[in-house]
Amino acid sequence: MVSSSRTAPGRGRNWAELPDDVTASILSRLGAIEILTSAQMVCVTWRNICKDPLTWRTIDMRVDLDDQRHIHYDLEKMCRHAVDRSSGNLIDINVDIFGTDELLKYITDSSMGIKRLRLAHCYDITNEGLSAVASKLPLLEDLEISYCSFSHEPLEVVGASCPLLKSFKFNNRWYRWPREESNDDALAIAGTMHELRHLQLLGNKLTNDGLRAILDRCPHLESLDLRRCFNLKLGGKSGRRCAERIKKLRLPDDPIDNSELVDTDIDYGSNDEDNPSTFPDVDYMFDDDGYEFSSGNDYEDNDMDDYDVYPWLF
């Protein structure tokens, strides 16, 4: 009788039978929260792969605010747990919302090989906190800071401490009114980040003077995203210089077409008293029901207790 590898009719696929490299590829498409709260409990094989330090070379802790499950976790503790699992192999990490000075220090103390760091909505990371860890990021090549509260001062420290930095995103919410001008960020970048190839400055307050400083001092720049930088006047010499030098240029009025950047698109209207600006309220509404994990899997491990699975709940 000729054997067949096809799944018999009516029989579900046994995910534990997948080759380890295929399973690892599947898990790499999940975020750290999904791995720690769900994937590692599918079966013993998946659990073993989820404990492999190489699985944690990339830690994606981005939070979906529409998913109510995250409110039941200590996300900072969960992130530390993921960093511990990397055993120093961490090279790429995303931290959303819950980032603090202490967490950033823990991450950088645990791995000196980080090449990519993304911080978004991390209002509890201070200028001093970011400046303090910059020297621990000598291999950093890609840095994204979006919707945080940093000034230009830690940017100067990061630029001076991270000579390999090739890509920098420094994004802010934009306002048409009131119009404020500042080239502090631009001058910090121009003064220290001379090896940049890619720069994104959504919603920045820079003027043409700041833009000229960047173009003068960042000679390798290939892509430049200036969307929502409404203080820029690019109809003359500055615009022509950008068009001639930059291979991929996004202009202030170009549309925001990336879902991650949608919350920068805030127009508070004019300052006309007859049409007052309104500030959007953010109201997170959650019910009181707890989230329960399904026990309908084939995972059995007598050496593991609840704390081993959910240490961030205790």
Side-chain angles (χ1 to χ4, degrees):
M1 178 180 296
V2 178
S3 62
S4 174
S5 60
R6 294 182 178 179
T7 303
R11 179 189 174 190
R13 180 182 295 277
N14 186 351
W15 293 99
E17 294 178 353
L18 289 174
D20 287 354
D21 59 337
V22 175
T23 301
S25 178
I26 293 172
L27 293 175
S28 70
R29 291 162 171 76
L30 301 178
I33 297 174
E34 288 76 18
I35 293 176
L36 292 172
T37 60
S38 301
Q40 70 171 358
M41 290 169 287
V42 168
C43 60
V44 174
T45 299
W46 281 40
R47 167 68 174 175
N48 291 336
I49 293 175
C50 289
K51 293 174 70 175
D52 186 341
L54 294 181
T55 299
W56 301 97
R57 286 166 57 86
T58 295
I59 297 176
D60 188 350
M61 290 289 295
R62 280 176 281 197
V63 176
D64 181 0
L65 291 178
D66 293 328
D67 186 346
Q68 298 181 15
R69 290 175 295 179
H70 80 276
I71 66 173
H72 300 287
Y73 304 132
D74 183 335
L75 293 173
E76 181 173 348
K77 195 171 184 179
M78 183 183 287
C79 186
R80 290 173 182 252
H81 184 76
V83 170
D84 290 343
R85 285 197 177 185
S86 74
S87 299
N89 290 281
L90 179 62
I91 62 173
D92 183 342
I93 185 164
N94 295 321
V95 176
D96 259 4
I97 300 174
F98 57 89
T100 63
D101 287 348
E102 293 75 16
L103 177 61
L104 189 58
K105 182 178 185 300
Y106 190 86
I107 292 169
T108 54
D109 282 346
S110 300
S111 178
M112 295 289 287
I114 295 176
K115 296 183 178 181
R116 182 180 185 273
L117 173 64
R118 175 185 179 271
L119 304 173
H121 306 279
C122 294
Y123 301 109
D124 290 326
I125 298 180
T126 65
N127 288 335
E128 295 76 15
L130 180 57
S131 298
V133 303
S135 63
K136 302 174 185 178
L137 297 167
L139 301 182
L140 191 67
E141 298 179 3
D142 187 337
L143 175 62
E144 177 178 344
I145 299 174
S146 295
Y147 325 124
C148 298
S149 54
F150 300 119
S151 72
H152 67 282
E153 295 171 348
L155 304 189
E156 294 176 342
V157 180
V158 169
S161 303
C162 305
L164 301 182
L165 194 64
K166 301 294 192 301
S167 177
F168 182 44
K169 297 180 180 180
F170 191 58
N171 299 324
N172 296 282
R173 291 178 175 84
W174 63 271
Y175 313 93
R176 286 188 182 272
W177 305 99
R179 176 163 291 173
E180 298 178 5
E181 296 181 352
S182 174
N183 287 311
D184 289 344
D185 299 337
L187 295 178
I189 293 167
T192 62
M193 302 182 186
H194 307 305
E195 299 299 319
L196 284 182
R197 269 66 173 174
H198 311 285
L199 177 61
Q200 183 178 78
L201 292 174
L202 268 70
N204 200 272
K205 299 175 183 178
L206 83 165
T207 68
N208 284 31
D209 290 338
L211 177 59
R212 280 193 292 270
I214 290 173
L215 294 175
D216 288 342
R217 303 296 298 278
C218 301
H220 308 295
L221 208 57
E222 300 175 3
S223 68
L224 180 59
D225 191 342
L226 300 170
R227 286 177 291 175
R228 303 303 186 259
C229 296
F230 291 118
N231 291 332
L232 293 174
K233 307 298 182 184
L234 300 180
K237 184 178 179 180
S238 294
R240 290 193 298 273
R241 187 179 179 192
C242 286
E244 293 170 357
R245 260 204 54 190
I246 306 301
K247 296 179 181 178
K248 184 177 181 181
L249 178 65
R250 306 298 294 273
L251 300 174
D253 285 313
D254 284 352
I256 298 290
D257 53 9
N258 186 324
S259 61
E260 290 186 356
L261 306 176
V262 69
D263 69 349
T264 66
D265 204 7
I266 303 171
D267 190 346
Y268 290 154
S270 73
N271 56 357
D272 188 338
E273 292 180 357
D274 295 328
N275 183 25
S277 301
T278 57
F279 289 75
D281 293 327
V282 179
D283 184 14
Y284 302 114
M285 301 180 63
F286 303 109
D287 59 32
D288 294 326
D289 296 333
Y291 180 81
E292 296 181 0
F293 293 104
S294 171
S295 59
N297 57 47
D298 61 351
Y299 184 24
E300 295 180 2
D301 188 343
N302 294 329
D303 295 329
M304 186 184 65
D305 57 21
D306 286 340
Y307 180 80
D308 190 32
V309 183
Y310 316 117
W312 41 88
L313 290 177
F314 293 83

